Amino acid sequence: MTALELRYGSVSQCMERGVYLFRVSHAYCCYYSSIRTQKQCEVREKCNNVNEAVCLFNSLVQTRPFPSINNFSNLFSGMAKSKHYWAIVCLYKQLEELGIAPNNYILNVPINCFCQLGRVDLSFSVFGKMLRFGYEPCPTTFSTLMNGLILQDETAQALSLFLKVQNIGYSHNLITYSIFVKGLCKAGKTSSAIRVMRQMDEPDVVIYSTIIDSLCKDRLVKEACRLFSEMLDKSIQPNVFTYSSLVHGFCNLFLLEEVTKLLNEMVSRNIMPDVVTYTILVDTLCKEGLFSEAERVFRKMINSGIKPTVFTYNILMDAYCLHRQTDKAERVFYTVVETGLKPNVHSYNILINGYCKSRKIKKANALLVEMSHKGLEPDTVTYNTLIGGLYQVGRLQATNMLFNKIRLEPDIVVYTILIDGFFSAGMLKVAVGLFSSLFIKGLFPNVWTYNVMINGFCNTDLVGEAYKLFSKMEEKDIKRNVLSYSAMIQGFLQHSDSVCAVQLLQEIVNQGFSVDKTTVSILVDRLSHEIIS
């Protein structure tokens, strides 16, 4: 036996010991990795709630010695995903005051926050600080700054920065190009996005698809198809997003034959439609009133193993409600619940609107109660719809009760419905008082509000007051519509003032409006009566 064997044992024993040690070390690595993953999950969860995120920040800064700057980076990144931008800015300021030196990565977070908050000037201040620290800007830094300029509608400056970065020797990577092109398209600068793409050596499917999608949204489907052909010529394979964008474009123009061709082409390329593609199709068919076709596509989606989203179900519900098929809409609503999805505020608003139009106010009220039980906060649309529904069935007292219960600040729609209701109930002083209070509340009457007031005054024989408001509309830069003129003309005729009525009729014709039959009939009757007498 050699000296080595005496000390360490035989070769086989060494190998066994090595395997054992490897397993132990691997177990320790897995354990600490799981702890680290668990901690990261905890950080992510706390980042969703700004108060918990601030508490976590406070616990980090109270630790001695200070923890790694990466802990703060993870915290700020998580908060940024939850859009707590101002909170991040305040916490970053505290880091500076504590003398904790930032790293390259963490400085990108406040740059992004200031861009999202519309303060690109402050983003460039942080960028300057990055350079003073001697840190090398990364592609994310430049793409964030360019995107911030685009968000502020400073596209020319964004393009200038893009070119400057190139000129000083920084090469833009695909991620930078993708972010920049997406930002330009989002800002409605599709032509600029195409120019940027032309500078690229090898644009990928993401760049092409982003621009195709933007062109389709602008209804420039021919241009989108040309880019699509260019993609194929360059052997760049389209994906489901590319096809969905084109499907959306053709659907917007109601070119359903072209849509069918695209879908067949997708399948031939082994690219299967996803939930977005199917939802676009269902939406288009519903808008065209082709319910049986929409239902067929919807069933096909489910049979293909694709789960509809709440948005998909909402489209079906809305279509049924618009055509007074509330029973079908109701079935769709409860199907959402049965599939394990949670109806959102928009889902409830759609069905409440359907019930109100069908004068099923009890069911609409029951849904309002159900919303609060489900932890959903009714929005302005919910209250506007219900108040309008109650008013239509003549339940003015219930309308007032609901108005007083509104937790949100009512908007001009709610007040206009109430003013109309008070005029109908003969409560002139209340209607006028409510109209006067709008300006104190910081609300500005729209053309509908003025029309309600003019009509109300005319019906209560206060034509002079009605004409004052009619004249004020021009002063307030509120464009009169045909209903404004019709209400005023009928008011003059009721007051036996045919001269003013004819003058307004001439004005309405000169402006290119079509006078409604009722107004013309009343005017003809009045003039005929004056001629005979």
Side-chain angles (χ1 to χ4, degrees):
M1 185 178 288
T2 64
L4 284 172
E5 285 177 329
L6 282 169
R7 187 169 182 180
Y8 297 108
S10 65
V11 174
S12 60
Q13 286 173 330
C14 286
M15 286 182 68
E16 284 174 13
R17 193 180 293 115
V19 170
Y20 170 74
L21 289 171
F22 171 77
R23 284 176 178 168
V24 169
S25 64
H26 180 67
Y28 272 114
C29 286
C30 290
Y31 172 72
Y32 284 114
S33 176
S34 66
I35 296 247
R36 190 165 60 251
T37 306
Q38 188 179 345
K39 291 237 178 228
Q40 286 170 349
C41 289
E42 286 173 8
V43 168
R44 274 197 295 270
E45 284 174 13
K46 287 184 178 180
C47 289
N48 293 329
N49 185 306
V50 68
N51 293 325
E52 288 186 12
V54 170
C55 288
L56 181 56
F57 175 84
N58 289 333
S59 69
L60 287 171
V61 295
Q62 287 167 15
T63 307
R64 293 295 181 275
F66 285 129
S68 165
I69 193 67
N70 293 331
N71 291 321
F72 295 103
S73 294
N74 291 335
L75 175 64
F76 288 170
S77 297
M79 290 174 72
K81 284 175 184 173
S82 299
K83 300 185 179 180
H84 301 311
Y85 302 125
W86 273 121
I88 295 168
V89 169
C90 295
L91 297 180
Y92 170 73
K93 190 71 180 168
Q94 285 187 47
L95 269 190
E96 285 189 324
E97 289 168 359
L98 289 165
I100 299 173
N103 61 9
N104 193 7
Y105 178 76
I106 204 169
L107 285 167
N108 283 321
V109 179
I111 287 174
N112 178 50
C113 290
F114 282 127
C115 284
Q116 296 300 326
L117 293 166
R119 294 301 308 270
V120 190
D121 54 331
L122 296 177
S123 293
F124 276 99
S125 297
V126 179
F127 176 66
K129 192 173 286 185
M130 179 186 282
L131 297 177
R132 286 196 301 275
F133 274 117
Y135 294 129
E136 188 80 13
C138 63
T140 304
T141 314
F142 291 120
S143 58
T144 304
L145 287 168
M146 287 185 281
N147 200 39
L149 288 167
I150 292 164
L151 289 172
Q152 289 298 294
D153 203 25
E154 301 284 355
T155 312
Q157 282 185 273
L159 281 166
S160 174
L161 177 62
F162 181 84
L163 295 171
K164 278 179 184 175
V165 169
Q166 270 186 333
N167 293 337
I168 60 175
Y170 284 95
S171 57
H172 296 298
N173 60 18
L174 263 176
I175 295 169
T176 312
Y177 273 110
S178 297
I179 292 170
F180 192 40
V181 165
K182 187 178 179 181
L184 287 169
C185 290
K186 199 174 180 181
K189 312 288 184 183
T190 314
S191 55
S192 298
I194 293 169
R195 283 201 300 274
V196 169
M197 185 188 73
R198 295 300 178 208
Q199 293 183 20
M200 296 179 69
D201 295 329
E202 294 181 0
D204 66 351
V205 64
V206 175
I207 301 285
Y208 270 105
S209 299
T210 303
I211 296 173
I212 286 168
D213 183 56
S214 186
L215 288 168
C216 287
K217 283 175 180 172
D218 293 337
R219 294 176 178 265
L220 301 171
V221 181
K222 282 185 180 178
E223 289 83 344
C225 287
R226 276 199 290 270
L227 266 189
F228 181 70
S229 298
E230 184 183 304
M231 264 182 74
L232 298 179
D233 291 342
K234 290 183 177 181
S235 300
I236 298 169
Q237 293 304 308
N239 56 24
V240 67
F241 177 71
T242 323
Y243 275 107
S244 294
S245 300
L246 287 168
V247 166
H248 194 201
F250 282 120
C251 281
N252 282 337
L253 301 174
F254 300 110
L255 299 171
L256 299 183
E257 285 184 17
E258 295 298 325
V259 170
T260 305
K261 286 179 189 175
L262 269 178
L263 291 171
N264 291 333
E265 188 182 314
M266 276 181 82
V267 175
S268 69
R269 288 179 179 273
N270 205 26
I271 299 169
M272 295 300 118
D274 63 2
V275 66
V276 175
T277 323
Y278 278 112
T279 301
I280 291 165
L281 289 169
V282 170
D283 185 38
T284 304
L285 293 167
C286 284
K287 283 174 181 173
E288 286 285 275
L290 303 169
F291 291 124
S292 57
E293 280 296 302
E295 287 165 350
R296 186 185 64 78
V297 171
F298 187 78
R299 284 194 300 272
K300 187 179 179 180
M301 172 170 55
I302 294 169
N303 294 336
S304 301
I306 296 167
K307 292 181 180 178
T309 62
V310 172
F311 182 71
T312 318
Y313 283 110
N314 285 351
I315 288 168
L316 270 179
M317 282 168 53
D318 197 29
Y320 287 137
C321 286
L322 284 171
H323 291 79
R324 306 292 173 96
Q325 298 181 30
T326 49
D327 292 340
K328 284 188 174 182
E330 192 177 282
R331 282 200 295 274
V332 173
F333 182 85
Y334 289 109
T335 302
V336 176
V337 180
E338 288 164 12
T339 54
L341 293 170
K342 291 182 180 179
N344 55 25
V345 173
H346 186 51
S347 313
Y348 279 94
N349 287 347
I350 289 167
L351 197 52
I352 286 170
N353 185 45
Y355 284 146
C356 287
K357 282 185 175 177
S358 302
R359 296 177 174 259
K360 298 176 180 177
I361 304 301
K362 278 188 180 179
K363 284 192 168 187
N365 274 322
L367 275 183
L368 181 67
V369 173
E370 188 181 308
M371 281 180 79
S372 59
H373 289 162
K374 299 283 185 183
L376 291 171
E377 191 72 33
D379 61 10
T380 310
V381 176
T382 320
Y383 288 117
N384 288 355
T385 307
L386 264 171
I387 286 171
L390 288 165
Y391 168 64
Q392 281 178 353
V393 295
R395 292 175 59 184
L396 193 59
Q397 190 175 354
T399 305
N400 287 333
M401 285 174 66
L402 180 60
F403 176 77
N404 293 325
K405 283 181 184 177
I406 294 177
R407 297 172 199 168
L408 302 167
E409 183 60 37
D411 65 0
I412 195 66
V413 176
V414 173
Y415 279 106
T416 304
I417 291 167
L418 286 172
I419 290 166
D420 197 19
F422 288 132
F423 269 124
S424 299
M427 300 165 73
L428 173 66
K429 284 186 179 179
V430 180
V432 173
L434 195 56
F435 179 78
S436 301
S437 73
L438 294 177
F439 302 95
I440 300 165
K441 295 174 189 294
L443 292 170
F444 298 97
N446 55 25
V447 64
W448 179 34
T449 319
Y450 274 100
N451 288 351
V452 165
M453 288 296 296
I454 290 164
N455 197 48
F457 278 137
C458 288
N459 289 337
T460 50
D461 207 29
L462 294 168
V463 181
E465 293 299 316
Y467 191 67
K468 280 181 189 175
L469 277 182
F470 183 81
S471 303
K472 265 189 181 178
M473 288 176 78
E474 196 169 1
E475 293 171 22
K476 299 280 185 184
D477 203 28
I478 295 167
K479 200 170 183 180
R480 301 166 186 145
N481 59 19
V482 68
L483 297 176
S484 318
Y485 281 99
S486 296
M488 200 64 249
I489 289 168
Q490 288 181 38
F492 280 134
L493 291 173
Q494 286 166 16
H495 208 251
S496 301
D497 193 344
S498 302
V499 176
C500 288
V502 170
Q503 283 176 352
L504 279 185
L505 183 66
Q506 187 60 51
E507 191 178 320
I508 199 174
V509 170
N510 291 341
Q511 291 196 17
F513 289 123
S514 300
V515 190
D516 63 282
K517 289 179 181 178
T518 307
T519 307
V520 173
S521 177
I522 294 169
L523 184 58
V524 170
D525 287 348
R526 176 64 62 184
L527 291 172
S528 302
H529 178 73
E530 285 179 7
I531 291 166
I532 293 166
S533 59

